Amino acid sequence: MEDKRNIQIIEWEHLDKKKFYVFGVAMTMMIRVSVYPFTLIRTRLQVQKGKSLYHGTFDAFIKILRADGVTGLYRGFLVNTFTLISGQCYVTTYELTRKFVADYSQSNTVKSLVAGGSASLVAQSITVPIDVVSQHLMMQRKGEKMGRFQVRGNPEGQGVVAFGQTKDIIRQILRADGLRGFYRGYVASLLTYIPNSAVWWPFYHFYAGIVFPWIPEQLSYLCPKECPHIVFQAISGPLAAATASILTNPMDVIRTRVQVEGKNSIILTFRQLMAEEGPWGLMKGLSARIISATPSTIVIVVGYESLKKLSLRPELVDSRHW
């Protein structure tokens, strides 16, 4: 009899594509709503000079909430939702690349590494312009200016709302930098997210590979044989995310500064950061990144693995276990 603790990876050819995309968009939107405040906080922590405004993740959360309310934690969110397109391109590229690489290598690590990097390359080409605009919107706050651009207020002294702010930021970027301004930091983004994605997937399967073989021998008395696979996948995801975050955070700090402060050189940005804040400056926003990555990765992993199971072709449903 098949041991239900043996987890089988659901590949692209096993999926009902219509279900996969419909469920995928809904799942991605729920995840973005839950983690966006920490994305905003991480961005502000990385851009600020030293600790001029916020002393950490919790301090930033409280100050933003007091100054701008809950809506302050969702500045730029409407624009950021357009990255749903890149999200679907990411998963499609990832799954198709795994299928392609399988013709040349059966190593799951190789398939995950190549597919993760390729998926990030495609997704970032779509995401960067959206990211540039949404990051400038994240920098809008009462009082001191944080980014290069400031949304103009209306005659009553209130900032324009919703897409009015977006249009204002887009006009300012066009006037200052032209169309190239929307791809400011593109190279830095690729140097951040391609390694992050390429590392995350192999580490996800690596941690899963450590957890699963132990079950029959050492953890069987703690874990019933019918223990859901999803529990162990949910453990592996955050471990992989934390590992990838630590390895790629220095480039993420540089990427954010290049995009928000309008810098043109990754090397000069790195030198300036080192001169002003030393090596620890490269770890700015790491706690916020891990805090946001941990719950979001659990949701992503549980959601993505559940999505694939729900999207299985009817004839394969009984061959996969939860």
Side-chain angles (χ1 to χ4, degrees):
M1 180 180 291
E2 178 189 2
D3 189 343
K4 293 186 178 182
R5 288 171 294 197
N6 180 27
I7 295 180
Q8 297 173 283
I9 295 175
I10 299 174
E11 302 288 5
W12 181 251
E13 60 270 20
H14 303 149
L15 300 174
D16 178 324
K17 310 306 186 292
K18 183 178 179 180
K19 286 182 180 179
F20 183 73
Y21 285 117
V22 171
F23 292 149
V25 169
M27 181 199 75
T28 304
M29 178 58 86
M30 288 189 292
I31 292 170
R32 291 189 185 281
V33 170
S34 64
V35 305
Y36 189 82
F38 289 102
T39 302
L40 182 144
I41 290 169
R42 183 195 74 203
T43 301
R44 290 196 179 185
L45 288 174
Q46 290 177 339
V47 170
Q48 73 171 350
K49 303 296 183 182
K51 296 184 178 180
S52 57
L53 295 173
Y54 311 115
H55 296 287
T57 302
F58 183 72
D59 182 57
F61 178 82
I62 295 299
K63 286 181 177 177
I64 294 170
L65 202 59
R66 286 176 178 170
D68 302 318
V70 174
T71 56
L73 294 169
Y74 282 90
R75 288 191 184 277
F77 178 74
L78 288 177
V79 175
N80 194 262
T81 57
F82 285 103
T83 57
L84 286 171
I85 299 169
S86 66
Q88 297 310 300
C89 290
Y90 178 95
V91 295
T92 301
T93 304
Y94 177 79
E95 295 295 344
L96 287 175
T97 304
R98 278 185 64 91
K99 183 179 179 181
F100 175 78
V101 175
D103 293 335
Y104 301 91
S105 173
Q106 291 304 308
S107 169
N108 190 54
T109 299
V110 172
K111 289 191 287 186
S112 299
L113 186 70
V114 176
S118 300
S120 190
L121 173 62
V122 172
Q124 285 306 304
S125 298
I126 301 170
T127 298
V128 168
I130 301 169
D131 218 17
V132 168
V133 175
S134 66
Q135 283 182 336
H136 283 297
L137 289 169
M138 289 178 189
M139 293 299 103
Q140 305 305 310
R141 60 185 293 272
K142 295 178 181 178
E144 185 180 341
K145 177 180 175 182
M146 289 191 73
R148 293 173 67 205
F149 306 120
Q150 191 75 29
V151 172
R152 297 178 181 85
N154 62 29
E156 285 73 36
Q158 300 295 321
V160 291
V161 297
F163 285 107
Q165 292 186 346
T166 304
K167 290 178 183 177
D168 195 23
I169 290 294
I170 290 173
R171 289 193 192 102
Q172 291 183 58
I173 293 173
L174 280 171
R175 279 197 296 267
D177 302 320
L179 289 174
R180 291 179 59 187
F182 293 102
Y183 274 90
R184 184 177 292 279
Y186 177 63
V187 174
S189 292
L190 295 182
L191 293 175
T192 300
Y193 290 113
I194 288 180
N196 187 83
S197 182
V199 165
W200 188 90
W201 286 101
F203 269 109
Y204 169 58
H205 292 297
F206 169 73
Y207 287 126
I210 289 177
V211 173
F212 302 145
W214 287 357
I215 296 173
E217 291 84 13
Q218 298 176 21
L219 297 181
S220 56
Y221 68 97
L222 292 176
C223 305
K225 190 173 183 179
E226 299 295 327
C227 186
H229 294 170
I230 207 74
V231 173
F232 301 105
Q233 290 167 326
I235 294 171
S236 301
L239 289 174
T243 304
S245 295
I246 292 169
L247 293 175
T248 62
N249 198 74
M251 199 64 227
D252 191 43
V253 175
I254 294 170
R255 173 195 65 86
T256 303
R257 291 204 169 196
V258 166
Q259 290 181 331
V260 175
E261 296 181 354
K263 299 182 183 296
N264 293 313
S265 171
I266 294 173
I267 295 174
L268 290 178
T269 302
F270 170 75
R271 288 177 178 172
Q272 182 182 0
L273 180 64
M274 291 294 288
E276 291 176 352
E277 305 187 43
W280 284 109
L282 297 171
M283 290 293 111
K284 294 184 74 172
L286 178 60
S287 61
R289 195 176 177 193
I290 292 177
I291 288 172
S292 65
T294 300
S296 67
T297 304
I298 292 174
V299 173
I300 288 170
V301 169
V302 172
Y304 189 64
E305 297 293 351
S306 299
L307 167 65
K308 291 172 77 173
K309 290 181 176 71
L310 290 170
S311 304
L312 273 170
R313 301 205 320 264
E315 67 271 21
L316 296 174
V317 171
D318 292 335
S319 67
R320 298 297 187 273
H321 307 293
W322 290 75

